[in-house]
Amino acid sequence: MTAARPVDAAFTKRLPKIELHAHLSGSISRQSLHETWAQLKAETPAFSLEDPLTAMPSSKVDYDINTFFPLFSTYIHHLITTLPALTSTTHSVLSSFAHDSVIYAELRTTPRAQPSFTKAEYVSTILDCIASPGHSPLTCALILSIDRSNTAAEAMEVVDLAVRYRARGVVGVDLCGNPARGDVGIYRDAFGKAKAEGLGFCLSCNVHAKLIDGGIGDHHLRWWRGKGCPIALCTDDVGVFCSPLSNEFLLAAEHFKLSRKDLVEICSDSVGMIFGDDEQKRRLRSLLVTFGKEENLALDA
Ligand SMILES: CNc1ncnc2c1ncn2[C@@H]1O[C@H](COP(=O)(O)O)[C@@H](O)[C@H]1O
C-alpha cells in the first residue's frame, strides 16, 4: 500500500512544508554570501573580509555555542552592509526555501542599521522582498528579533518597528542570540508591549549548536510527541548548518520512525501554529490535502 512506503529524500523534498523558525542571516547560503562578497570586493578592492567560501568551507557545519554567534557578529553581518546586498541575499533565501517546497515561512531577523541604511529601511527592504512575486507558492511573514546583546531601549525599538510594520507582514517578535549572555529580565517592558499589541512570540533551541545534551535521538521531539503535543520542524540557520527543511524531516523520520502520513500530519499541525491569519491557514491546509491525495495517503479529514 502506498501509505506504507518508507520516507525517502524525494518524498521529504516534495512535501509542502511550513518553516516557523528561520533566522534570515543564518539562512543565507555560502554561495549567496560569496556573490555578495565578490560584489563588495569589486566595488572596494581594499575590502579585507575573507571570501565566505574560504571562511566557511562547505564541509564545515560543526559550529557550537562558542563559534556560532561570533560568526554573525564578526563576519556575516559585515557582508550585508548595503540595501542591494540585503535584497539579493533575502531573495536567495526565499528562493532556496521555495525550491525545498516550503509553502509558508516565518523568517526572523534582528533589525540592524548600517551607515547606508536605518533599522526601518532594513525591515522595509526585507518586507519588499517578501511581497515581491516570484517565489510562489511560498509565502512569508516576518518576525523581528530582540538579540540578547540588545539594551532595553533597543529591544523596545524592535517592538516599535514590529508594530509600525505590522500591516506589511510583521507578525511577531522573538528573543535570539547567545543564551549564555545577558539578562532577559531587562526586556520585560518590551515583551509586555509586544503582548499588549497582540504580536506573537516563540523561543527555541537545537542540536547542532549543542544547545541540548546528546544527539538527534535525544531531542525533546520524542518527549513532546509522546505527550500528543503538536510539533513543528524548523531549520534555524540552514545557511550555516546546511540542513534544509526537507533534510530535517528525513532525519526526524529516520530517528523517530515516522511514516509519510506522520510527516504530512506534522505539517498540518504546524499550520495551526502559524502567526498568519485564517485565510493563510486555509490555503496551507488545502495545499496539504491536495498533496495527501496525490500521494494516496489516508489522511484524517
Ligand atoms: C542556533 N540557534 C539560535 N539561537 C539563538 N539565536 C540564533 C540562533 N540562530 C541564529 N540566531 C540569531 O540570529 C542572528 C542571525 O540572523 P539575523 O541577523 O537576525 O537575521 C544571529 O546573530 C543570532 O543572534
Side-chain angles (χ1 to χ4, degrees):
M1 212 171 106
T2 317
R5 278 184 299 160
V7 171
D8 57 22
F11 177 82
T12 61
K13 178 86 196 270
R14 65 179 182 271
L15 174 67
K17 293 173 287 296
I18 317 290
E19 168 64 79
L20 295 184
H21 195 112
H23 299 269
L24 179 61
S25 306
S27 301
I28 307 168
S29 70
R30 284 148 165 86
Q31 182 57 32
S32 175
L33 288 175
H34 167 74
E35 284 159 20
T36 301
W37 174 87
Q39 182 77 29
L40 286 171
K41 192 79 184 157
E43 287 163 10
T44 320
F47 181 68
S48 61
L49 222 55
E50 207 178 359
D51 183 340
L53 297 182
T54 313
M56 301 168 64
S58 56
S59 55
K60 179 167 173 56
V61 290
D62 61 345
Y63 293 92
D64 63 21
I65 195 163
N66 297 314
T67 54
F68 177 74
F69 295 101
L71 180 68
F72 293 94
S73 55
T74 66
Y75 188 71
I76 295 176
H77 287 157
H78 294 273
L79 283 168
I80 320 293
T81 52
T82 64
L83 290 180
L86 179 63
T87 300
S88 66
T89 51
T90 302
H91 275 301
S92 83
V93 168
L94 299 178
S95 162
S96 301
F97 278 123
H99 278 106
D100 198 36
S101 305
V102 174
I103 52 174
Y104 176 82
E106 285 175 0
L107 293 179
R108 55 198 64 214
T109 195
T110 311
R112 275 182 299 115
Q114 291 286 331
S116 69
F117 57 78
T118 62
K119 289 183 183 180
E121 286 167 330
Y122 176 84
V123 175
S124 178
T125 300
I126 295 167
L127 289 169
D128 283 344
C129 296
I130 286 175
S132 70
H135 303 293
S136 175
L138 169 70
T139 57
C140 276
L142 193 63
I143 291 173
L144 298 185
S145 307
I146 294 168
D147 189 282
R148 286 169 190 261
S149 64
N150 286 162
T151 62
E154 286 166 335
M156 192 56 91
E157 210 183 339
V158 171
V159 176
D160 288 340
L161 284 168
V163 172
R164 174 170 165 189
Y165 286 104
R166 179 156 42 183
R168 288 183 54 199
V170 176
V171 290
V173 292
D174 94 324
L175 179 66
C176 76
N178 191 339
R181 286 188 53 186
D183 168 15
V184 293
I186 66 169
Y187 307 133
R188 189 182 302 274
D189 289 349
F191 278 111
K193 177 164 183 184
K195 194 172 175 205
E197 290 284 351
L199 290 161
F201 51 92
C202 57
L203 311 165
S204 85
C205 76
N206 75 10
V207 176
H208 243 316
K210 300 196 172 57
L211 299 183
I212 67 159
D213 290 331
I216 295 171
D218 303 303
H219 195 278
H220 43 82
L221 181 150
R222 188 191 296 284
W223 189 85
W224 285 112
R225 216 177 131 71
K227 297 264 177 252
C229 176
I231 54 161
L233 296 179
C234 310
T235 53
D236 239 333
D237 300 280
V238 60
V240 178
F241 298 120
C242 300
S243 179
L245 193 52
S246 53
N247 191 52
E248 295 293 310
F249 273 80
L250 190 59
L251 290 172
E254 283 169 3
H255 287 271
F256 302 104
K257 309 274 177 280
L258 304 179
S259 67
R260 292 181 179 215
K261 185 170 174 254
D262 290 333
L263 297 192
V264 179
E265 282 170 1
I266 287 177
C267 294
S268 299
D269 284 350
S270 302
V271 174
M273 298 179 218
I274 71 169
F275 291 143
D277 59 19
D278 288 346
E279 189 187 328
Q280 185 67 259
K281 287 179 186 168
R282 272 194 294 277
R283 180 186 83 91
L284 300 174
R285 289 209 169 98
S286 151
L287 286 170
L288 283 163
V289 167
T290 303
F291 177 79
K293 284 183 185 149
E294 285 167 0
E295 298 282 329
N296 266 330
L297 300 173
L299 301 178
D300 298 332

